[in-house]
Structure formats: structure tokens, C-alpha cells
């Protein structure tokens, strides 16, 4: 069902709101030009008024037009993300407030590396971090020392890397402090205890050290600061740091089997290596907390330290939600046993789902309230996972995914900003109190804290303005997220109808209940028992659904994506259930055979807010299943002969 509240939020599948966007674009372009003229109105135009009549100007304009025409023509082969026929990857139409704010800001070209280059948009970025912090259940009051801090990144990949950097800085700092041994500070008794402090205890130690420093004369303070800096892992590098501390070994990171490949990139970049990225087994597509606890007990017995455990809120391939509540409980139990590590939630995809769980006053909505709105959503586990976000140490969330904003907008948010000084370049400013404890003043030199240098202030403006027009709670932004969940529930219902309609021709299976708005679908021709044959069938179907750079986009009825399902992610029991539902012979699932070691399935991201168009009485989801039926009926005779040949 379409929600009238969403009508002004997007340019729209038909470009319905072109008038609004055009009005805004023209208005604010003119406004920008007046601003230029009013800077020093006494400065005359440097480009002469007759310049546009010069032959070279005209030739330039002709070349420019020619190139723009060909660019514009080429872009017509872009993927039509805006359309309700696009059910593929994690992208859809752009939120109109964000698009307008980005267009408005671009000609000012602010650089959010620091306030010198972005006096306005740097504050918008810090505020956008606080908006996200509130959505996640972190403290968002900058007057409180333990307030969260968040900033934008180019995407989730860099945000995840920032989480690794911060966790390592916090883990290794107490070891450096012990090595420098400032007097009168109660320090952990040995390197092992120092390296395995819980993150919160690490922050408290850092606070004590900062207070101690403040009590010293400036010269002594500089001396101590230099001594401790000289012992930090960031100064020494991994090799020298661990050589100096033979009690310790490089820490591992625990992430579920379905974690995004940015974690592997991050481990390589950090210098820990992929070998130190350990996969936590899953059960029913979600991280298995019992297996995590077992792994942690084994690691502690082997004295292998843990940097971080990652929980995923909305996996990239399946949209499933890990039990964040169990993971933070595990962290707290381990911390009590002297085996501290941090918990990061990779919510690059699912972060904005939290909008549905928030009241406008920032409190969490009870499960029963939400259940009245949906048929099945959220599961008790999903509700508990979102409720536990506020207890994680840091979170990645991508405004350019479920935030409906233009690319170049990921975000990293940490629960307690007091760890952030550990990431700063030029440490001598850090503890000098030059920011007088003012939250905004501290982060206006943003470039010192983040991986990137120059970065787009326009992206920050887009995120901030979107969150202001559509606050991150169920009554505002959550209206959009809510529609996507309704679409998901409609998709499941129609998948069941489709299964009934195709009985005798095709086996249809939704392999696992979705936690979010991403649904997978497995199809197998009736009578086929062979995994490789089904996979070939599904790949051909996917060929009909994917972007083909050589074809006009109109040649596609629908866009979808595919993924694969492995027993490692689903668990043996669930895999057996799925094979059975599809009529497949388990003996044909061959772990070492390419093409038969997993199931190829379709993956649908149901982000478009107009999938169920009540204005025209069209369900694009129903049409999609009609399309699938037509495709399958056309393809079946060929498939039959292949599987008959395979059987013979
Ligand atoms: C998309 C995604 C990432 C990577 O984010 P980018 O913005 O593509 O860099 C990381 N983790 C998860 C779970 C994701 O879905």
C-alpha cells in the first residue's frame, strides 16, 4: 500500500516531483550566484559581458554541449534504480531533501576536512553523527562527556576500517601507558591484563591519564606525552610493538561467516592479516552465540587476544540480523573474566531499520506496538538486537543505502567519544585542552580523526537535511522503512501464491524468513533432483534479470540480483529443509564441486517505496511473479531435456 506521506519524499518513478526539484534547483542556484555577487559587489565581472560572443567561447560551448549530450545519452544505459521494477541491489530512488541539499551545496564546494574549509557543513556532519547516534540508542547530548561521536565516510568499507583502528588504539593504549610508566596512576598489573581491558575500562584509564597530565607543568606534560606516544602501537608499528611485549600476540577479529568482504580488506590494511579474521559459525543465517562463546573460551585458554567481535545488522547478501544482544552479553561476560574486546555492529545495510523502532522522543518502541503494524515483523530477536545497539561500542551505517542518499555517504559512530583522541594525528594538541571541552570545537578539525582527508561537505549537508526533514523515528523516516517492510511481507504472501500456481511445474521456496526488507527465493523445476541443474537454471533466470551493459534498459522487464546459499551460513538442518522443499537430492550437493557446492538463489532488495502502487492499483511484486511464471514456462522444456540427459 502506498503511503501519501511518502509522495513528496522522492523525485518519483515517473519523475512526478520534477516541478518541485526544478524549482528548488533553480532557486538555490540563483541564490548562490547572488551570494557570489554580494561578497564584494564593488569587484566588477572578470569575464567580460561580451565573452560569450567570442568565437573561442562559442567553440568551447559547442564542444561542451557535444560532450554533455553524449554523456547524457550514455547515462540512459544506467541501471534504473528509481523504478519499482528494480528489485536488485541495495539502492533505490534518492530522497528528495538529500538530493536538493546536495545540489544546493555543491557550488559552494565545502571541504569537511576542517572548519577552515567548511565553516558550515562541518557542523552539519557532526550533527548528522548525533542524529545517527540517537537513532542507534547512543547518548546524543554533546554536553555530556560520554556522548557518542559519529562522522561520515565514503562508505561502509571505510567506516568498518575506522572501527578497527579505534578498537586497536584503545586496546593497545594501556600497554603503552604501562611501558612508559607514569607514576601515581593505577595501571593494570601486566601486559596481558592491559591488553585485555574492556573498552570501557580502557576509556576510564585514558581519562585518568588525561587528568593526571593536566596537573603537570607544560614542559613535564610534553615530556610524558612524548614518552607514552613513543610506546604506542601507532608509533612503533605491529612488529616492534609485539617484539617489545612478548606476553602478547596480534589480536584476532571475530566476524560471522556472512560478514561483508570489507572486513577482509580492513584486516589486510591494518596489517593484522586475513589470517587473524576468524569466522564465527552461523545457525539459521544468523551468528550463533553459543559458537561465539565457545570460540572465545578457546581463544582465552590459548591466550590469543581478541580485538573485536562483529555482529551484522542486515547482512549484505541476506538481510539477516545477528543477535547483537547476545554478542554484547558475551563481551560483558568475557570482560569480567579479564578478556576484554569491543563489539562493532556492521549496520551498513540495516542501520536505518532502527527508525522503525524509535519513538519521536528517542525511546524504544515496544515489540507489541510494532507487531500491530506488521504481520510478522519484527521477530523478537530482531527487536532485541536493535534494542541492544546502544550497548555496542561502535556502529557502521550507510546513509547511501537504506538512507536513500547519493553515494559517498557512509557513517561511523562510536558510543563514547572519549576514545576518539587516540585516533588523532599530532598528539600534542590532543590533551592541551585547547578545545575547552567544547564538543563541536574538538571535531571541527575533523581531518585529524578520520582516515580520509578532503571530503565532500555537500554529502554532510544531504545527510543532515534529510534527517531534519524526516527525523529518524517511526513517525517520519520510519514511514519509508515501514513501507519496505510491508512490501517484504507482501512479497512473501505472493511467493506462497506463486508456489501454489506453479505446483506441478516448479518448486518455490523462500529459504529463510527475512529479518528486514531483503528476501531471497529459490526455484527448482519439478522433477529435477540435481543441485547443479537447478543452479544452471537459476543462473539463466538471473541473466534475464541483471544489468546488461550492451542492451537498452527497456529490454529488461525487471531487475534482480542473485546470491548463493551455503550450508556454513544456513546450518546443516536448515539446508536439509531447503533441499527437501525444493525436491533436491542432498547427495548432489557436493562440497568440493564448483557449481554444486551451494545453491544459487535470487535476492531481492525491496527498497522502492512504490512497489505496491495503490494509486493505480498496480502491484509490481505481483507483476514480478507473473514475469517469473512466464519466464519459467518458456524455459522449462529446455531444462527438462537437460535434466533428462543428466538422468540418462
Ligand atoms: C554495503 C555493506 C558494506 C560496505 O559498504 P560500502 O558503502 O559499499 O563501502 C559493509 N557491510 C555491510 C553489511 C554492507 O551491507
Amino acid at each position: 500500500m502506498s503511503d501519501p506521506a511518502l509522495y513528496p519524499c522522492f523525485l518519483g518513478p515517473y519523475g512526478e516531483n520534477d516541478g518541485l526539484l526544478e524549482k528548488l534547483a533553480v532557486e538555490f542556484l540563483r541564490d548562490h550566484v547572488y551570494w557570489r555577487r554580494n561578497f564584494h559587489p564593488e569587484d566588477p565581472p572578470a569575464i567580460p559581458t561580451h565573452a560569450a560572443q567570442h568565437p573561442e567561447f562559442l567553440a568551447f560551448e559547442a564542444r561542451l554541449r557535444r560532450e554533455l549530450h553524449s554523456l547524457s545519452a550514455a547515462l540512459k544505459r544506467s541501471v534504473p534504480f528509481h523504478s519499482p521494477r528494480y528489485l536488485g541491489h541495495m539502492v533505490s530512488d534518492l530522497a528528495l531533501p538529500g538530493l536538493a541539499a546536495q545540489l544546493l551545496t555543491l557550488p559552494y564546494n565545502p571541504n569537511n576536512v576542517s572548519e577552515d574549509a567548511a565553516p558550515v557543513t562541518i557542523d552539519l556532519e557532526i550533527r548528522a553523527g548525533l542524529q545517527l547516534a540517537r537513532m542507534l540508542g547512543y547518548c546524543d547530548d554533546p554536553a555530556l562527556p560520554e556522548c557518542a561521536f559519529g562522522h561520515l565516510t565514503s562508505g561502509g568499507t571505510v567506516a568498518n576500517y575506522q572501527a578497527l583502528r579505534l578498537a586497536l588504539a584503545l586496546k593497545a593504549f594501556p600497554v603503552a601507558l604501562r611501558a612508559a610508566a607514569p607514576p601515581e596512576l593505577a595501571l593494570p598489573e601486566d601486559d596481558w591484563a592491559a591488553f585485555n581491558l574492556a573498552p570501557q575500562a580502557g576509556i576510564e584509564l585514558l581519562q585518568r591519564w588525561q587528568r593526571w597530565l593536566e596537573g603537570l607543568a607544560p614542559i613535564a606534560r610534553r615530556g610524558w606525552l612524548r614518552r607514552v606516544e613513543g610506546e604506542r602501537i601507532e608509533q612503533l608499528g605491529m612488529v616492534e610493538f609485539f617484539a617489545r611485549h612478548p606476553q602478547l600476540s596480534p589480536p584476532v577479529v571475530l566476524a560471522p561467516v556472512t560478514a561483508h568482504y570489507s572486513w577482509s580488506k580492513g584486516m589486510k590494511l591494518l596489517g593484522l592479516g586475513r589470517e587473524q579474521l576468524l569466522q564465527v559459525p552461523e545457525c539459521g543465517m544468523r551468528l550463533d552465540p553459543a559458537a561465539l562463546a565457545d570460540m572465545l573460551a578457546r581463544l582465552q585458554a590459548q591466550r590469543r587476544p581478541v580485538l573485536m567481535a562483529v555482529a551484522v545488522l542486515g547482512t549484505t547478501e541476506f538481510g539477516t540480523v545477528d543477535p547483537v544482544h547476545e554478542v554484547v552479553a558475551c563481551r560483558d561476560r568475557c570482560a569480567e573474566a579479564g578478556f576484554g574486546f569491543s563489539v562493532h555492529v556492521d549496520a551498513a545495510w540495516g542501520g536505518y531499520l532502527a527508525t522503525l523502532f524509535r519513538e519521536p522522543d528517542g525511546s524504544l518502541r515496544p515489540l507489541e506496538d510494532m507487531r500491530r503494524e506488521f504481520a510478522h515483523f519484527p521477530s523478537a530477536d530482531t527487536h532485541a538486537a536493535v534494542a541492544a545497539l546502544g550497548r555496542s561500542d561502535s556502529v557502521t551505517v550507510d546513509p547511501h543505502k537504506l538512507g536513500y542518499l547519493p553515494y559517498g555517504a557512509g557513517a561511523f559512530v562510536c558510543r563514547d567519544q572519549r576514545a576518539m583522541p587516540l585516533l588523532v594525528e599530532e598528539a600534542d594538541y590532543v590533551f592541551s585542552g585547547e578545545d575547552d571541552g567544547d564538543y563541536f570545537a574538538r571535531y571541527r578539525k575533523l581531518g585529524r580523526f578520520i582516515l580520509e582527508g578532503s571530503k565532500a561537505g555537500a554529502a554532510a549537508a544531504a545527510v543532515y537535511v534529510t534527517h531534519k526533514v524526516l527525523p529518524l523515528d517511526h513517525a517520519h523516516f520510519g514511514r519509508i522503512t515501514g513501507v519496505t517492510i510491508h512490501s517484504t511481507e507482501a512479497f512473501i504472501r505472493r511467493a506462497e501464491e506463486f508456489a501454489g500456481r506453479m505446483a506441478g511445474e516448479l518448486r518455490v521456496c523462500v529459504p529463510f524468513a527475512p529479518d528486514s526488507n531483503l528476501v531471497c527465493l529459490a526455484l527448482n523445476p519439478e522433477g529435477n533432483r540435481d543441485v547443479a541443474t537447478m543452479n544452471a537454471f537459476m543462473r539463466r533466470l538471473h541473466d534475464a534479470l541483471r544489468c546488461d551493459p550492451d542492451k537498452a534498459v527497456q529490454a529488461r522487464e525487471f531487475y534482480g540480483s542473485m546470491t548463493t546459499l551455503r550450508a556454513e551460513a544456513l546450518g546443516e538442518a536448515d539446508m536439509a529443509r531447503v533441499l527437501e522443499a525444493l525436491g533436491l537430492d542432498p547427495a548432489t550437493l557436493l562440497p568440493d564441486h564448483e557449481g554444486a557446492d551451494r545453491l544459487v538463489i535470487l535476492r531481492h532488495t525491496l527498497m522502492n517505496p512504490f512497489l505496491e502502487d495503490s494509486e493505480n492499483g498496480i502491484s509490481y511484486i505481483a507483476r514480478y511473479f507473473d514475469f517469473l511464471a512466464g519466464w519459467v514456462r518458456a524455459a522449462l522444456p529446455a531444462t527438462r531435456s537437460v535434466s533428462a540427459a543428466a538422468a540418462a
Side-chain angles (χ1 to χ4, degrees), residues 371-406:
R371 279 282 177 77
R372 275 196 283 279
E373 210 173 304
F374 304 102
H376 304 288
F377 181 86
S379 70
D381 272 339
T382 299
H383 189 271
V386 173
L389 279 176
R391 288 158 62 207
S392 66
D393 295 289
S394 52
V395 175
T396 289
V397 46
D398 271 358
H400 68 201
K401 284 185 175 168
L402 207 42
Y404 297 86
L405 286 168

Side-chain angles (χ1 to χ4, degrees), residues 392-596:
S392 66
D393 295 289
S394 52
V395 175
T396 289
V397 46
D398 271 358
H400 68 201
K401 284 185 175 168
L402 207 42
Y404 297 86
L405 286 168
Y407 283 116
F412 169 78
V413 191
C414 66
R415 185 190 62 228
D416 186 332
Q417 53 111 14
R418 288 173 299 179
M420 287 303 292
L422 290 173
L423 284 186
V424 97
E425 292 284 326
E426 316 153 68
D428 44 331
Y429 292 110
V430 183
F431 305 121
S432 66
E434 88 169 2
D435 59 41
D436 293 327
D438 177 334
Y439 185 91
F440 284 90
R442 186 171 322 131
Y443 294 115
R444 279 182 194 130
K445 297 194 182 76
L446 190 60
R448 304 183 308 160
F449 295 91
I450 63 175
L451 188 64
E452 290 131 311
S454 299
K455 65 205 288 278
V463 176
Y464 173 79
V465 167
T466 305
H467 294 175
K468 286 296 273 188
V469 179
L470 293 165
L472 302 176
D473 56 56
H474 77 97
H476 299 93
F477 197 104
R479 299 281 281 269
I480 304 176
T481 335
V483 164
T484 73
I485 299 293
H486 282 298
S487 299
T488 306
E489 296 191 332
F491 189 99
I492 303 267
R493 280 195 305 276
R494 294 196 190 268
E496 282 159 10
E497 283 165 27
F498 178 64
R501 170 149 58 116
M502 301 300 284
E505 291 174 89
L506 189 73
R507 299 272 190 127
V508 178
C509 171
V510 174
F512 50 91
D515 286 331
S516 61
N517 39 21
L518 212 150
V519 199
C520 293
L521 192 68
L523 307 176
N524 184 36
E526 184 65 63
N528 171 52
R529 312 246 317 133
D530 177 50
V531 167
T533 305
M534 173 186 130
N535 286 350
F537 173 79
M538 290 296 278
R539 282 186 194 280
R540 271 195 296 136
L541 173 52
H542 175 244
D543 280 342
L545 288 168
R546 70 166 175 207
C547 162
D548 180 348
D550 297 328
K551 281 217 176 82
V553 289
Q554 289 81 359
R556 283 275 174 267
E557 287 292 318
F558 282 91
Y559 280 81
S561 62
M562 58 153 267
T563 185
T564 59
L565 203 54
R566 292 171 296 155
E568 291 99 299
L570 195 53
E572 299 293 339
D574 277 318
M575 194 62 162
R577 170 182 58 78
V578 172
L579 291 173
E580 159 93 35
L582 291 167
L584 292 166
D585 177 1
T588 63
L589 187 70
L590 305 165
D592 300 319
H593 279 63
E594 210 180 307

Side-chain angles (χ1 to χ4, degrees), residues 105 108-126 443-446 455-458 460:
T105 311
Y108 297 86
N109 197 29
N111 178 354
N112 273 16
V113 69
S114 86
E115 63 184 327
D116 289 346
V120 178
T121 52
I122 200 111
D123 275 23
L124 302 188
E125 178 154 351
I126 301 168
Y443 294 115
R444 279 182 194 130
K445 297 194 182 76
L446 190 60
K455 65 205 288 278

Side-chain angles (χ1 to χ4, degrees), residues 127-319:
R127 287 182 201 281
L130 292 168
Q131 291 166 329
L132 290 170
R134 180 181 164 96
M135 172 183 84
L136 299 168
Y138 286 162
C139 170
D140 68 333
D141 179 358
L144 297 174
E146 70 274 20
C147 182
F149 169 69
H151 63 82
L152 302 181
T153 58
S154 63
T157 300
V158 172
N160 283 344
Y161 183 65
Q162 181 77 330
L164 286 171
R165 284 209 312 154
L166 183 61
L168 184 64
L170 190 56
K171 192 169 187 62
F173 178 75
V175 178
L177 205 52
R178 276 196 78 249
E184 300 148 31
L185 268 180
L187 294 169
E189 78 233 27
D190 59 13
D191 277 354
W192 175 260
F195 204 48
N196 289 293
L197 276 187
Q200 208 48 45
I203 289 174
E204 278 154 27
L205 181 59
L206 179 61
Q207 292 295 109
R208 287 212 303 282
W209 151 248
Q210 285 171 321
R211 276 198 302 275
W212 183 78
L213 273 182
E214 278 160 20
L216 300 181
I219 294 186
R221 188 189 304 156
R222 271 180 195 283
W224 274 108
L225 199 49
R226 217 172 303 129
R227 222 169 300 169
V228 172
E229 282 298 307
E231 294 290 342
R232 289 187 55 194
I233 199 166
E234 289 80 0
Q235 179 68 26
L236 297 172
M238 294 272 179
V239 175
E240 179 60 20
F241 181 84
F242 288 105
R244 288 193 190 185
H245 303 284
Q247 248 197 350
L248 306 177
S249 59
V252 299
V253 170
L254 304 178
V257 179
T258 46
H260 189 264
Y261 66 105
S262 52
W263 290 103
S264 156
K265 290 183 186 174
M267 294 301 278
K268 291 194 281 181
L269 193 54
L270 201 60
L272 281 173
R274 279 203 293 228
E275 198 115 296
Q276 266 51 251
L277 180 62
L278 306 186
Q279 292 197 331
V280 184
E282 303 206 345
C283 166
M285 310 302 293
R286 288 105 183 153
L287 178 147
D288 179 352
L292 174 67
D294 281 351
M295 284 176 84
L296 287 164
R298 235 175 307 131
L299 288 163
Q300 189 173 11
Q302 297 164 351
R303 290 179 79 79
R304 283 183 82 185
V306 174
L307 177 61
M308 166 189 285
V310 178
V312 185
L313 195 101
T315 53
T316 316
E317 295 303 314
F318 311 110

Side-chain angles (χ1 to χ4, degrees), residues 323-338:
V324 178
H325 48 299
E326 305 268 15
V327 179
V328 292
C330 220
R331 172 201 61 192
D332 296 348
R333 279 196 304 275
C334 286
E336 293 216 342

